[in-house]
Tab-separated table of all heavy atoms in Angstrom:
chain	number	residue	atom	x	y	z
F	1	GLU	N	115.822	84.599	47.889
F	1	GLU	CA	115.181	85.515	48.841
F	1	GLU	C	113.688	85.668	48.574
F	1	GLU	O	113.025	86.474	49.217
F	1	GLU	CB	115.877	86.873	48.795
F	1	GLU	CG	117.300	86.815	49.334
F	1	GLU	CD	118.072	88.103	49.123
F	1	GLU	OE1	117.503	89.097	48.600
F	1	GLU	OE2	119.263	88.116	49.469
F	2	GLY	N	113.151	84.913	47.590
F	2	GLY	CA	111.715	84.908	47.360
F	2	GLY	C	111.236	85.523	46.060
F	2	GLY	O	110.040	85.504	45.768
F	3	GLN	N	112.123	86.067	45.250
F	3	GLN	CA	111.716	86.676	43.980
F	3	GLN	C	111.446	85.580	42.950
F	3	GLN	O	112.331	84.775	42.668
F	3	GLN	CB	112.807	87.606	43.467
F	3	GLN	CG	112.516	88.272	42.149
F	3	GLN	CD	111.282	89.141	42.197
F	3	GLN	OE1	110.200	88.717	41.784
F	3	GLN	NE2	111.442	90.341	42.717
F	4	THR	N	110.236	85.528	42.396
F	4	THR	CA	109.922	84.526	41.380
F	4	THR	C	109.482	85.146	40.060
F	4	THR	O	109.152	84.434	39.125
F	4	THR	CB	108.819	83.552	41.869
F	4	THR	OG1	107.634	84.310	42.158
F	4	THR	CG2	109.275	82.773	43.082
F	5	SER	N	109.497	86.473	39.963
F	5	SER	CA	109.082	87.148	38.742
F	5	SER	C	110.131	86.952	37.649
F	5	SER	O	111.303	87.305	37.816
F	5	SER	CB	108.902	88.642	39.006
F	5	SER	OG	108.832	89.357	37.786
F	6	LEU	N	109.692	86.433	36.531
F	6	LEU	CA	110.591	86.205	35.400
F	6	LEU	C	111.249	87.507	34.963
F	6	LEU	O	112.457	87.560	34.761
F	6	LEU	CB	109.817	85.567	34.239
F	6	LEU	CG	110.590	85.341	32.946
F	6	LEU	CD1	111.760	84.398	33.162
F	6	LEU	CD2	109.672	84.818	31.860
F	7	GLU	N	110.470	88.570	34.835
F	7	GLU	CA	111.019	89.857	34.379
F	7	GLU	C	112.033	90.420	35.372
F	7	GLU	O	113.075	90.930	34.978
F	7	GLU	CB	109.892	90.858	34.129
F	7	GLU	CG	109.051	90.517	32.918
F	7	GLU	CD	109.863	90.350	31.636
F	7	GLU	OE1	110.740	91.190	31.353
F	7	GLU	OE2	109.630	89.365	30.927
F	8	ALA	N	111.746	90.328	36.658
F	8	ALA	CA	112.680	90.838	37.669
F	8	ALA	C	113.983	90.050	37.637
F	8	ALA	O	115.068	90.621	37.718
F	8	ALA	CB	112.052	90.764	39.056
F	9	LEU	N	113.886	88.728	37.501
F	9	LEU	CA	115.087	87.891	37.474
F	9	LEU	C	115.896	88.133	36.207
F	9	LEU	O	117.125	88.119	36.239
F	9	LEU	CB	114.719	86.416	37.621
F	9	LEU	CG	114.132	86.057	38.986
F	9	LEU	CD1	113.562	84.647	38.968
F	9	LEU	CD2	115.170	86.208	40.082
F	10	LYS	N	115.212	88.381	35.084
F	10	LYS	CA	115.926	88.685	33.837
F	10	LYS	C	116.706	89.994	33.954
F	10	LYS	O	117.721	90.163	33.300
F	10	LYS	CB	114.945	88.787	32.668
F	10	LYS	CG	114.532	87.465	32.101
F	10	LYS	CD	113.632	87.713	30.904
F	10	LYS	CE	113.462	86.498	30.062
F	10	LYS	NZ	112.605	86.766	28.893
F	11	GLY	N	116.232	90.917	34.787
F	11	GLY	CA	116.945	92.167	35.006
F	11	GLY	C	118.219	91.978	35.822
F	11	GLY	O	119.094	92.835	35.819
F	12	LEU	N	118.324	90.850	36.515
F	12	LEU	CA	119.482	90.579	37.366
F	12	LEU	C	120.437	89.543	36.768
F	12	LEU	O	121.579	89.431	37.201
F	12	LEU	CB	119.001	90.079	38.733
F	12	LEU	CG	118.155	91.065	39.524
F	12	LEU	CD1	117.540	90.376	40.723
F	12	LEU	CD2	119.002	92.259	39.951
F	13	GLY	N	119.966	88.770	35.824
F	13	GLY	CA	120.770	87.709	35.208
F	13	GLY	C	120.011	87.131	34.031
F	13	GLY	O	119.101	87.763	33.509
F	14	GLN	N	120.353	85.937	33.646
F	14	GLN	CA	119.666	85.277	32.539
F	14	GLN	C	118.726	84.211	33.074
F	14	GLN	O	119.000	83.574	34.087
F	14	GLN	CB	120.659	84.610	31.602
F	14	GLN	CG	121.509	85.563	30.821
F	14	GLN	CD	122.379	84.816	29.814
F	14	GLN	OE1	122.436	83.601	29.786
F	14	GLN	NE2	123.059	85.563	28.977
F	15	VAL	N	117.620	84.015	32.351
F	15	VAL	CA	116.709	82.911	32.634
F	15	VAL	C	116.477	82.212	31.299
F	15	VAL	O	116.051	82.830	30.328
F	15	VAL	CB	115.372	83.390	33.219
F	15	VAL	CG1	114.449	82.199	33.472
F	15	VAL	CG2	115.588	84.180	34.504
F	16	LYS	N	116.805	80.929	31.254
F	16	LYS	CA	116.635	80.156	30.027
F	16	LYS	C	115.735	78.958	30.309
F	16	LYS	O	115.755	78.405	31.398
F	16	LYS	CB	117.974	79.679	29.488
F	16	LYS	CG	118.861	80.815	29.023
F	16	LYS	CD	120.111	80.296	28.371
F	16	LYS	CE	120.957	81.451	27.877
F	16	LYS	NZ	122.146	80.999	27.167
F	17	PHE	N	114.969	78.571	29.302
F	17	PHE	CA	114.063	77.434	29.408
F	17	PHE	C	114.604	76.284	28.559
F	17	PHE	O	115.091	76.497	27.447
F	17	PHE	CB	112.667	77.826	28.931
F	17	PHE	CG	112.028	78.858	29.814
F	17	PHE	CD1	112.256	80.211	29.604
F	17	PHE	CD2	111.223	78.479	30.864
F	17	PHE	CE1	111.689	81.165	30.424
F	17	PHE	CE2	110.645	79.420	31.695
F	17	PHE	CZ	110.884	80.772	31.472
F	18	TYR	N	114.534	75.085	29.105
F	18	TYR	CA	115.047	73.899	28.431
F	18	TYR	C	113.976	72.819	28.391
F	18	TYR	O	113.272	72.604	29.379
F	18	TYR	CB	116.277	73.356	29.166
F	18	TYR	CG	117.436	74.321	29.186
F	18	TYR	CD1	117.605	75.222	30.233
F	18	TYR	CD2	118.368	74.337	28.151
F	18	TYR	CE1	118.668	76.111	30.248
F	18	TYR	CE2	119.433	75.223	28.164
F	18	TYR	CZ	119.573	76.108	29.215
F	18	TYR	OH	120.627	76.988	29.226
F	19	ASN	N	113.863	72.141	27.256
F	19	ASN	CA	112.926	71.035	27.079
F	19	ASN	C	113.704	69.758	26.783
F	19	ASN	O	114.715	69.802	26.071
F	19	ASN	CB	111.983	71.303	25.900
F	19	ASN	CG	111.035	72.426	26.179
F	19	ASN	OD1	110.184	72.304	27.044
F	19	ASN	ND2	111.199	73.534	25.473
F	20	PHE	N	113.217	68.655	27.298
F	20	PHE	CA	113.883	67.369	27.108
F	20	PHE	C	112.863	66.327	26.668
F	20	PHE	O	111.684	66.414	27.027
F	20	PHE	CB	114.571	66.929	28.406
F	20	PHE	CG	115.587	67.930	28.868
F	20	PHE	CD1	115.239	68.946	29.743
F	20	PHE	CD2	116.882	67.886	28.386
F	20	PHE	CE1	116.161	69.889	30.144
F	20	PHE	CE2	117.812	68.834	28.778
F	20	PHE	CZ	117.452	69.835	29.656
F	21	GLY	N	113.330	65.346	25.928
F	21	GLY	CA	112.447	64.304	25.419
F	21	GLY	C	112.041	63.283	26.466
F	21	GLY	O	110.968	62.693	26.373
F	22	THR	N	112.900	63.087	27.451
F	22	THR	CA	112.621	62.063	28.459
F	22	THR	C	113.020	62.555	29.850
F	22	THR	O	113.811	63.487	29.988
F	22	THR	CB	113.408	60.764	28.177
F	22	THR	OG1	114.805	61.043	28.326
F	22	THR	CG2	113.113	60.212	26.790
F	23	ILE	N	112.492	61.910	30.850
F	23	ILE	CA	112.849	62.228	32.230
F	23	ILE	C	114.330	61.949	32.503
F	23	ILE	O	114.991	62.759	33.150
F	23	ILE	CB	111.937	61.479	33.226
F	23	ILE	CG1	110.532	62.068	33.145
F	23	ILE	CG2	112.463	61.578	34.646
F	23	ILE	CD1	109.496	61.335	33.962
F	24	PRO	N	114.911	60.825	32.021
F	24	PRO	CA	116.344	60.622	32.251
F	24	PRO	C	117.212	61.745	31.670
F	24	PRO	O	118.216	62.129	32.275
F	24	PRO	CB	116.637	59.278	31.580
F	24	PRO	CG	115.339	58.534	31.665
F	24	PRO	CD	114.296	59.604	31.449
F	25	GLU	N	116.839	62.292	30.526
F	25	GLU	CA	117.594	63.420	29.959
F	25	GLU	C	117.486	64.648	30.857
F	25	GLU	O	118.482	65.324	31.113
F	25	GLU	CB	117.061	63.765	28.567
F	25	GLU	CG	117.393	62.746	27.507
F	25	GLU	CD	116.715	63.046	26.184
F	25	GLU	OE1	115.608	63.620	26.162
F	25	GLU	OE2	117.313	62.712	25.155
F	26	LEU	N	116.289	64.940	31.333
F	26	LEU	CA	116.084	66.061	32.246
F	26	LEU	C	116.895	65.863	33.518
F	26	LEU	O	117.582	66.779	33.985
F	26	LEU	CB	114.603	66.222	32.577
F	26	LEU	CG	114.240	67.234	33.671
F	26	LEU	CD1	114.711	68.637	33.310
F	26	LEU	CD2	112.748	67.204	33.944
F	27	ASN	N	116.842	64.664	34.086
F	27	ASN	CA	117.588	64.382	35.318
F	27	ASN	C	119.092	64.531	35.115
F	27	ASN	O	119.791	65.052	35.988
F	27	ASN	CB	117.253	62.988	35.845
F	27	ASN	CG	115.861	62.924	36.428
F	27	ASN	OD1	115.279	63.941	36.800
F	27	ASN	ND2	115.303	61.733	36.507
F	28	ALA	N	119.602	64.080	33.974
F	28	ALA	CA	121.034	64.222	33.688
F	28	ALA	C	121.419	65.703	33.602
F	28	ALA	O	122.469	66.114	34.110
F	28	ALA	CB	121.387	63.497	32.395
F	29	PHE	N	120.576	66.504	32.971
F	29	PHE	CA	120.822	67.942	32.881
F	29	PHE	C	120.857	68.566	34.276
F	29	PHE	O	121.760	69.347	34.598
F	29	PHE	CB	119.742	68.591	32.021
F	29	PHE	CG	119.858	70.083	31.923
F	29	PHE	CD1	120.803	70.670	31.096
F	29	PHE	CD2	119.019	70.907	32.648
F	29	PHE	CE1	120.920	72.046	31.006
F	29	PHE	CE2	119.113	72.282	32.566
F	29	PHE	CZ	120.061	72.854	31.736
F	30	LEU	N	119.885	68.219	35.110
F	30	LEU	CA	119.824	68.766	36.465
F	30	LEU	C	121.041	68.356	37.282
F	30	LEU	O	121.585	69.159	38.046
F	30	LEU	CB	118.532	68.332	37.159
F	30	LEU	CG	117.244	68.875	36.542
F	30	LEU	CD1	116.029	68.253	37.228
F	30	LEU	CD2	117.195	70.379	36.578
F	31	ARG	N	121.493	67.119	37.112
F	31	ARG	CA	122.707	66.672	37.811
F	31	ARG	C	123.930	67.456	37.327
F	31	ARG	O	124.828	67.772	38.104
F	31	ARG	CB	122.920	65.184	37.604
F	31	ARG	CG	121.991	64.350	38.456
F	31	ARG	CD	122.354	62.867	38.416
F	31	ARG	NE	121.187	62.095	38.758
F	31	ARG	CZ	120.490	61.342	37.914
F	31	ARG	NH1	120.864	61.229	36.656
F	31	ARG	NH2	119.431	60.691	38.331
F	32	GLY	N	123.980	67.759	36.044
F	32	GLY	CA	125.080	68.547	35.494
F	32	GLY	C	125.107	69.959	36.060
F	32	GLY	O	126.170	70.483	36.401
F	33	ILE	N	123.936	70.584	36.167
F	33	ILE	CA	123.849	71.921	36.777
F	33	ILE	C	124.328	71.848	38.222
F	33	ILE	O	125.103	72.687	38.688
F	33	ILE	CB	122.409	72.471	36.719
F	33	ILE	CG1	121.978	72.735	35.283
F	33	ILE	CG2	122.261	73.718	37.576
F	33	ILE	CD1	122.589	73.944	34.640
F	34	ASP	N	123.879	70.828	38.947
F	34	ASP	CA	124.271	70.661	40.348
F	34	ASP	C	125.783	70.447	40.478
F	34	ASP	O	126.430	71.024	41.344
F	34	ASP	CB	123.509	69.488	40.965
F	34	ASP	CG	123.714	69.387	42.459
F	34	ASP	OD1	123.621	70.426	43.140
F	34	ASP	OD2	123.963	68.268	42.933
F	35	ALA	N	126.359	69.642	39.590
F	35	ALA	CA	127.790	69.350	39.645
F	35	ALA	C	128.637	70.579	39.316
F	35	ALA	O	129.767	70.698	39.785
F	35	ALA	CB	128.131	68.213	38.689
F	36	ALA	N	128.087	71.499	38.523
F	36	ALA	CA	128.835	72.690	38.107
F	36	ALA	C	128.782	73.817	39.141
F	36	ALA	O	129.417	74.852	38.940
F	36	ALA	CB	128.302	73.188	36.773
F	37	GLN	N	128.040	73.643	40.216
F	37	GLN	CA	127.951	74.697	41.231
F	37	GLN	C	129.350	75.036	41.742
F	37	GLN	O	130.161	74.160	41.984
F	37	GLN	CB	127.047	74.275	42.387
F	37	GLN	CG	125.586	74.198	42.012
F	37	GLN	CD	125.046	75.498	41.439
F	37	GLN	OE1	125.261	76.565	41.984
F	37	GLN	NE2	124.352	75.387	40.327
F	38	GLY	N	129.594	76.299	41.876
F	38	GLY	CA	130.924	76.784	42.257
F	38	GLY	C	131.595	77.407	41.050
F	38	GLY	O	132.084	78.520	41.120
F	39	ALA	N	131.592	76.704	39.929
F	39	ALA	CA	132.134	77.250	38.691
F	39	ALA	C	131.032	77.993	37.921
F	39	ALA	O	131.302	78.903	37.159
F	39	ALA	CB	132.706	76.140	37.820
F	40	LEU	N	129.800	77.596	38.148
F	40	LEU	CA	128.653	78.168	37.451
F	40	LEU	C	127.580	78.463	38.490
F	40	LEU	O	127.152	77.567	39.208
F	40	LEU	CB	128.118	77.165	36.421
F	40	LEU	CG	126.834	77.486	35.706
F	40	LEU	CD1	127.052	78.666	34.756
F	40	LEU	CD2	126.347	76.285	34.912
F	41	ASP	N	127.168	79.717	38.576
F	41	ASP	CA	126.104	80.067	39.518
F	41	ASP	C	124.782	79.986	38.784
F	41	ASP	O	124.382	80.904	38.087
F	41	ASP	CB	126.332	81.468	40.085
F	41	ASP	CG	125.642	81.646	41.432
F	41	ASP	OD1	125.008	80.682	41.905
F	41	ASP	OD2	125.761	82.725	42.008
F	42	ALA	N	124.131	78.836	38.885
F	42	ALA	CA	122.873	78.586	38.185
F	42	ALA	C	121.947	77.778	39.088
F	42	ALA	O	122.407	77.013	39.931
F	42	ALA	CB	123.133	77.831	36.893
F	43	LEU	N	120.647	77.956	38.859
F	43	LEU	CA	119.667	77.272	39.691
F	43	LEU	C	118.483	76.847	38.828
F	43	LEU	O	117.804	77.698	38.251
F	43	LEU	CB	119.197	78.221	40.803
F	43	LEU	CG	118.190	77.664	41.787
F	43	LEU	CD1	118.837	76.568	42.644
F	43	LEU	CD2	117.679	78.789	42.677
F	44	PRO	N	118.216	75.544	38.713
F	44	PRO	CA	117.030	75.099	37.979
F	44	PRO	C	115.793	75.278	38.853
F	44	PRO	O	115.820	74.971	40.044
F	44	PRO	CB	117.313	73.626	37.695
F	44	PRO	CG	118.318	73.206	38.700
F	44	PRO	CD	119.054	74.433	39.133
F	45	VAL	N	114.708	75.803	38.261
F	45	VAL	CA	113.480	76.071	39.005
F	45	VAL	C	112.265	75.707	38.158
F	45	VAL	O	112.352	75.554	36.946
F	45	VAL	CB	113.391	77.557	39.427
F	45	VAL	CG1	114.540	77.929	40.342
F	45	VAL	CG2	113.354	78.477	38.231
F	46	ASP	N	111.130	75.592	38.824
F	46	ASP	CA	109.887	75.321	38.091
F	46	ASP	C	108.709	76.133	38.626
F	46	ASP	O	107.568	75.764	38.455
F	46	ASP	CB	109.554	73.828	38.126
F	46	ASP	CG	109.247	73.332	39.531
F	46	ASP	OD1	109.348	74.121	40.483
F	46	ASP	OD2	108.908	72.153	39.662
């Protein structure tokens, strides 16, 4: 709905930061988050 404030989002759920060594590792992680939708309500953002 347009909220991008880290503090506001932390008040509603969790926000975690992840670092990866390579782009393929990052892409695999993002695909995993996407595949888990329905069982896991999560959204990768930048």
Side-chain angles (χ1 to χ4, degrees):
E1 292 172 3
Q3 179 61 262
T4 60
S5 165
L6 176 61
E7 290 305 314
L9 293 170
K10 279 183 165 181
L12 298 170
Q14 291 185 353
V15 179
K16 294 186 178 183
F17 295 86
Y18 297 92
N19 292 294
F20 301 91
T22 66
I23 290 174
E25 289 173 329
L26 172 60
N27 288 339
F29 177 77
L30 295 174
R31 284 189 203 109
I33 294 286
D34 188 46
Q37 290 304 312
L40 173 69
D41 204 0
L43 181 68
V45 298
D46 65 357

